[in-house]
Amino acid sequence: MLPLVVVGGRGVVGPRAPGEPCVVGDLPEVLERARALETSQHPRWLVPAAASSLTPLVTADIRVQRCWDVAEVHRLIHGGWAADLHLAWASAYGLDPAGAPQPARDDLFDLLVDAGPVEPATGHRSDPDAAVRPDGYLRPDVLDPAWAATPERLRSLAEALLRLAARQADQLAAIGPRSLAAAYSESAAAALCVELEHDGLPVDRVVAERQISAAAGPRPRDEAEAAATRRARDAVVLAHAPGRERTDLRNPLQVRDLLAAVGVTVPSTRKGYLEPYRSSTPLVAALLEWRKDERVATTYGYRWLDEHVGPDDRLRGCWSACDGAAGRMTAQNGLHNLPAPLRPAVAADPGWVFVRADLGQIEPRVLAVVSGDRVLAEATTSDDLYAPVAARLGVERPVAKVAVLAAMYGQRSGAAGRALDGLERAYPVAMRLLDDAYASGAARQPLRTYGGRRINLDAMAAGGDDGARGRFARNAIIQGSAAELFKAWAATVRHAVGPLGAQIVLCLHDELLVHAPRDRAEEVAAAMGRTLDDSARRWCGTDRVRFVADTSVIARWSDAKA
């Protein structure tokens, strides 16, 4: 590993081991050294967090192949979202995070104690140039440019980072044989997130404006015109309820009263409760359509377009390699929840295309890996896993699909519950894993995914009901493991398509969108399929379980089949 730390306008590259040479200097000097090393050696860059250390490199068009992200590795080992350098250090060394020194408050008391605690053996205060204090904690200001202003201090910080990474590697080895590989792919995903945030998602602004206009009306000239447009949009719904024209459609309680007035009594106004009534009353159908338009108008309207799509027609938002729960990638500004009406606006540049690959039936295939159920693994050899499962259960395919998904989400009522009995007989090993996860969740005991990520059930926001917590755990053990496979695949695709002039521009749950030159599209598609086989085999540790992806070459995101 080779430390790379950027603090303000200065940084350090190296050393590879304590006492060895390193390069310390202003940011341009550090970037040139990093560029030369990346070109010639492709080291594994050791960074406190990819967002802080790799962003200057990506801005300078330096894309690293490998890294070790201390923050992401901490999240893998300990779970949760919090992962600043001081917490990662304290956790690696078994120190109480609550006892970590706090940053100075710039008052007289802090000026007196800033020199640090006294060395027990000598009675002297700690070295002001040392990143680690005599009590074992990092200095609170170790990432403050005011402290990290000298070569000695930056070297001390880099050497502390080396020791921290070594401790993390030991902890990973104690967790299990797959955890080190998971740390590599989590770190690669963090590097990819920096690139995704920098590069952005191509957007056809003209089409975006047209789609927004279709839902929200023409761009308003002022707030009065915007309010008039809202009233006109509301009136389409309220026309189906004479005498109720003053109902506020943005107030769920008033909407429930409105529905009750036309004979529709529901416990909630969510789509799932309203959809069965769509064909029975025009009010519900109009309300559901209003909801889609309202979402575009309020969340993805003209202001969203102006604020988040840059002058280069790229949609940008902050990316994270981990959601702090089961470990899925997340993004802001609509990159992870762009409504379907706006997908036509996501368009490849002239002369370019999107190569889209969507993992098929990933959850039951991951269940086969995580549980080690050989019978379920046999079903994964089929392109459609649910067909052999249905044959084994003696039910129709739709029933088999509902049963498998219900097993992973903890549903036991209705047809799904009846089909689960058959699943437990046909695939007892897989069902036992899910039942054990449920029991751990209900007991508020932590879980670890296939790659070793800790899921802290005592802190999960799954509600106070232990049954709900158990259902969350039952699903998280699969979702978290699937996220690990997805990130391992994305990291491999990132390497494979780069030489073809292509780049990943979107990671959405189980879907990759790669922006590629039109004349290299077939090569990119082939590379994405090949890397899925390779990364799945490495992640699984076996070729018994098969993973499949639906791959297509498209001009607009909306061209992909649902």
Side-chain angles (χ1 to χ4, degrees):
M1 294 188 194
L2 186 63
L4 170 65
V5 185
V6 176
V7 183
R10 294 175 60 77
V12 55
V13 172
R16 293 185 185 275
E20 290 193 0
C22 64
V23 173
V24 179
D26 292 336
L27 190 55
E29 179 184 357
V30 169
L31 291 178
E32 284 310 305
R33 180 58 176 162
R35 186 190 303 275
L37 288 170
E38 179 60 36
T39 301
S40 61
Q41 299 179 20
H42 301 302
R44 186 173 299 282
W45 297 99
L46 169 58
V47 298
S52 60
S53 293
L54 297 186
T55 295
L57 273 68
V58 172
T59 302
D61 199 26
I62 305 170
R63 307 292 170 110
V64 306
Q65 284 198 10
R66 305 183 301 164
C67 73
W68 182 280
D69 185 310
V70 165
E72 293 305 331
V73 176
H74 172 85
R75 292 184 179 109
L76 182 68
I77 296 170
H78 299 283
W81 171 252
D84 66 80
L85 185 59
H86 294 83
L87 176 59
W89 178 275
S91 300
Y93 279 87
L95 302 171
D96 180 6
Q102 299 300 308
R105 299 186 301 273
D106 295 327
D107 57 23
L108 180 60
F109 177 76
D110 280 310
L111 291 175
L112 293 173
V113 302
D114 186 54
V118 175
E119 290 269 13
T122 65
H124 298 300
R125 293 199 178 275
S126 59
D127 181 355
D129 293 333
V132 183
R133 295 159 35 118
D135 59 3
Y137 289 100
L138 285 180
R139 288 183 59 100
D141 54 356
V142 73
L143 293 178
D144 186 335
W147 179 82
T150 67
E152 293 79 13
R153 293 177 175 186
L154 282 168
R155 167 186 278 278
S156 178
L157 173 56
E159 291 183 349
L161 210 61
L162 281 171
R163 298 197 296 274
L164 172 55
R167 295 285 294 222
Q168 287 185 322
D170 289 343
Q171 291 177 320
L172 289 166
I175 291 172
R178 292 178 291 272
S179 297
L180 183 62
Y184 289 155
S185 61
E186 292 294 322
S187 298
L192 174 59
C193 284
V194 176
E195 296 172 1
L196 288 166
E197 187 170 345
H198 176 272
D199 298 334
L201 180 68
V203 169
D204 184 332
R205 189 183 298 270
V206 173
V207 172
E209 289 255 9
R210 187 173 68 224
Q211 297 299 106
I212 293 171
S213 178
R219 184 186 282 268
R221 288 169 293 187
D222 51 37
E223 181 53 38
E225 192 167 277
T229 301
R230 286 195 296 271
R231 288 194 297 272
R233 191 164 59 246
D234 296 355
V236 174
V237 179
L238 297 175
H240 298 287
R244 295 272 180 168
E245 291 82 0
R246 298 179 64 86
T247 298
D248 181 359
L249 297 179
R250 295 157 190 85
N251 183 318
L253 292 178
Q254 292 190 32
V255 171
R256 283 184 63 186
D257 290 342
L258 176 70
L259 292 168
V262 297
V264 176
T265 303
V266 288
S268 167
T269 61
R270 292 179 180 177
K271 180 181 178 181
Y273 290 100
L274 296 182
E275 195 65 46
Y277 297 94
R278 179 189 285 271
S279 59
S280 62
T281 171
L283 174 64
V284 172
L287 179 62
L288 290 170
E289 292 305 309
W290 176 90
R291 286 261 181 89
K292 292 193 297 185
D293 291 345
E294 178 73 3
R295 183 170 180 238
V296 172
T298 56
T299 306
Y300 300 98
Y302 298 107
R303 179 179 295 179
W304 167 83
L305 183 66
D306 296 341
E307 291 180 355
H308 302 302
V309 178
D312 59 351
D313 293 334
R314 291 293 189 273
L315 169 61
R316 291 182 174 86
C318 182
W319 282 83
S320 172
C322 168
D323 61 4
R328 304 195 77 165
M329 295 179 72
T330 62
Q332 297 177 358
N333 298 345
L335 285 160
H336 260 190
N337 47 15
L338 197 69
L342 286 180
R343 288 195 174 195
V346 178
D349 291 338
W352 292 64
V353 294
F354 291 132
V355 182
R356 174 188 178 267
D358 188 20
L359 295 178
Q361 304 167 340
I362 182 174
E363 292 171 330
R365 295 173 191 271
V366 165
L367 175 59
V369 175
V370 175
S371 65
D373 192 315
R374 295 197 172 195
V375 181
L376 185 57
E378 290 176 6
T380 68
T381 61
S382 172
D383 287 349
D384 178 11
L385 172 145
Y386 297 120
V389 171
R392 188 172 186 87
L393 297 181
V395 298
E396 296 294 323
R397 181 192 178 280
V399 176
K401 178 179 179 179
V402 169
V404 172
L405 295 178
M408 289 181 286
Y409 283 91
Q411 180 182 346
R412 289 194 168 271
S413 60
R418 292 190 294 274
L420 277 175
D421 293 336
L423 276 179
E424 289 170 350
R425 291 191 297 271
Y427 306 105
V429 177
M431 295 303 107
R432 188 178 310 118
L433 174 111
L434 296 174
D435 289 342
D436 289 346
Y438 178 94
S440 294
R444 308 189 180 207
Q445 297 172 348
L447 295 173
R448 287 205 182 268
T449 61
Y450 190 68
R453 177 180 297 280
R454 181 182 169 109
I455 302 174
N456 297 317
L457 275 304
D458 59 339
M460 284 293 111
D465 180 2
D466 286 342
R469 201 177 298 269
R471 289 188 293 275
F472 172 86
R474 191 181 184 100
N475 182 246
I477 196 72
I478 303 302
Q479 292 284 357
S481 300
E484 291 164 357
L485 170 62
F486 177 80
K487 283 183 270 191
W489 177 43
T492 312
V493 168
R494 173 176 174 262
H495 286 300
V497 304
L500 301 174
Q503 63 182 149
I504 298 173
V505 290
L506 186 66
C507 299
L508 181 66
H509 307 311
D510 309 322
E511 175 183 352
L512 283 180
L513 201 64
V514 175
H515 198 220
R518 186 182 302 277
D519 58 357
R520 309 301 295 268
E522 295 306 321
E523 294 176 83
V524 170
M528 294 174 75
R530 184 173 62 252
T531 54
L532 176 58
D533 292 339
D534 293 343
S535 54
R537 189 178 303 110
R538 288 195 303 271
W539 181 76
C540 296
T542 176
D543 57 4
R544 289 180 178 273
V545 177
R546 178 171 173 250
F547 287 87
V548 298
D550 175 28
T551 304
S552 56
V553 178
I554 54 180
R556 297 180 183 272
W557 194 13
S558 55
D559 294 340
K561 64 180 182 179

